[in-house]
Amino acid sequence: MTTASIVAVVVAYHPNAERLAQLLARLAPQVAHTVCVDNSDAPSQPNGATPATDVAEPKDSDHLTVLRLGRNAGIAHAQNLGIAQARQRGASHVLLMDQDSLPAPDMVEKLAGALHRLQSSPGPVAAVGPVAEDLRNGGAAPFVRIGFPFNR
């Protein structure tokens, strides 16, 4: 698998425009395409825009698609719409992101490598994910491997 077949889906709900711009910029060189699903329930700007569309729409291109729902449809629905767009673009894999994440510059490459290694081992693999680091306290979330037995 190459990162050229991975599409990122970012779900945003009244995001901080600066943080969303950082996230989109960080994802751009790592994936083939990014779908930003604006799950905001009402415009927060006089022009009818939201921070997600303010940040993303001027940059709409072959690399970025913005889906503006105009309401909070729930995260699962927003992710499903983004995944459908990714599938239409021929994605082999989808990277699900939220508006508050800031991936390392090599995160997608490392996740793709981990998935490849795990698929070579016995047992099915459905997903891989990064270890989340809380920038406020510097702590990392515990590693969880779901299966039998359940491991932390």
Side-chain angles (χ1 to χ4, degrees):
M1 163 195 13
T2 68
T3 57
S5 58
I6 298 172
V7 172
V9 173
V10 176
V11 175
Y13 178 78
H14 296 291
N16 174 287
E18 184 178 317
R19 295 252 347 204
L20 181 60
Q22 289 174 336
L23 168 61
L24 296 175
R26 186 71 63 91
L27 287 173
Q30 296 191 62
V31 296
H33 192 78
T34 299
V35 178
C36 182
V37 183
D38 183 358
N39 203 25
S40 300
D41 53 0
S44 59
Q45 318 260 330
N47 64 0
T50 64
T53 54
D54 276 351
V55 169
E57 281 181 354
K59 298 178 182 87
D60 249 18
S61 66
D62 289 335
H63 186 71
L64 178 65
T65 298
V66 177
L67 299 177
R68 184 172 178 208
L69 304 185
R71 64 186 176 92
N72 182 352
I75 189 156
H77 183 71
Q79 286 176 334
N80 285 336
L81 291 174
I83 291 167
Q85 284 286 317
R87 292 180 77 184
Q88 287 178 0
R89 294 189 157 276
S92 63
H93 295 79
V94 175
L95 174 68
L96 296 175
M97 302 290 296
D98 65 25
Q99 68 195 30
D100 297 323
S101 300
L102 188 60
D106 60 350
M107 183 190 80
V108 175
E109 180 183 359
K110 286 185 176 182
L111 288 174
L115 181 60
H116 179 73
R117 284 188 304 281
L118 287 169
Q119 287 174 330
S120 301
S121 63
V125 177
V128 295
V131 172
E133 180 183 350
D134 188 332
L135 297 178
R136 293 170 292 186
N137 66 19
F143 172 77
V144 176
R145 182 178 187 148
I146 298 174
F148 297 102
F150 182 77
N151 298 304
R152 278 194 187 259

